[in-house]
């Protein structure tokens, strides 16, 4: 490889690296460095509505889940001594477990929604802290 070719490859690599990130440039027309893409925000009204809806779903799931309890218990008693009776009993036990799991998941989703605004703030604080630690070196405009 010739020396001139090596110098050209180094210059090309440096140009590519410099074009990837420019912290000293002005913000894009839409604001920020995302080329006008909207900022990531939380919607408190929508969040409260979603939490309330999940609460309703949780309550209705409990009602729907217990709806089958009495009729299943009656069927199990009617088929006592038959494989059908033990099968119904096992199926109903699985049904109760699935309802309980679904309700647990709904509660976790509610908690996550309630905490989402705070989690976004933690991310913002973390990014701000990392940026504050960057040593930009001396400001060439202030050197005499």
């Amino acid at each position: 490889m010739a020396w001139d070719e090596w110098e050209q490859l180094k210059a090309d690599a440096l140009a590519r690296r410099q074009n990837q990130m420019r912290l000293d440039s002005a913000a894009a027309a839409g604001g920020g460095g995302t080329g006008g893409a909207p900022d990531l925000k939380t919607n408190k009204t929508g969040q409260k509505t979603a939490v309330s809806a999940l609460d309703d779903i949780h309550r209705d799931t409990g009602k729907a889940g217990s709806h089958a309890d009495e009729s299943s218990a009656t069927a199990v008693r009617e088929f006592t001594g038959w494989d059908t009776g033990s099968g119904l009993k096992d199926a109903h036990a699985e049904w109760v477990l699935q309802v309980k799991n679904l309700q647990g998941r709904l509660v976790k989703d509610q908690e996550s929604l309630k905490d989402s605004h705070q989690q976004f703030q933690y991310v913002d604080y973390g990014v701000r802290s990392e940026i504050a630690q960057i040593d930009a070196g001396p400001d060439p405009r202030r050197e005499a």
Side-chain angles (χ1 to χ4, degrees):
M1 179 181 298
W3 183 257
D4 292 336
E5 186 180 0
W6 172 247
E7 290 297 324
Q8 183 61 44
L9 289 171
K10 288 187 341 186
D12 291 346
L14 180 62
R16 281 193 305 272
R17 187 172 37 154
Q18 288 176 343
N19 288 335
Q20 288 179 352
M21 181 185 292
R22 298 201 45 154
L23 295 177
D24 61 343
S25 64
T34 60
D39 290 336
L40 182 61
K41 298 179 181 178
T42 57
N43 178 341
K44 284 218 176 256
T45 305
Q47 178 185 17
K48 288 179 182 179
T49 303
V51 167
S52 177
L54 286 173
D55 192 41
D56 293 342
I57 293 169
H58 181 271
R59 186 175 39 257
D60 292 344
T61 299
K63 290 177 187 175
S66 65
H67 181 70
D69 288 349
E70 187 178 327
S71 58
S72 294
T74 302
V76 168
R77 279 193 307 273
E78 293 293 324
F79 288 105
T80 300
W82 294 54
D83 287 343
T84 303
S86 63
L88 284 171
K89 185 177 180 180
D90 291 345
H92 183 66
E94 182 65 27
W95 170 259
V96 170
L97 179 65
Q98 293 299 322
V99 168
K100 186 181 286 188
N101 288 341
L102 177 58
Q103 287 181 308
R105 178 61 191 257
L106 290 168
V107 168
K108 286 181 182 179
D109 288 347
Q110 279 182 295
E111 291 168 359
S112 294
L113 276 170
K114 288 177 185 177
D115 294 341
S116 64
H117 180 73
Q118 187 175 13
Q119 294 300 326
F120 278 121
Q121 285 181 328
Y122 288 149
V123 170
D124 287 345
Y125 294 147
V127 170
R128 184 178 299 136
S129 174
E130 288 179 23
I131 289 174
Q133 294 175 10
I134 295 173
D135 181 14
D139 188 349
R141 295 176 289 183
R142 293 191 178 151
E143 291 181 4

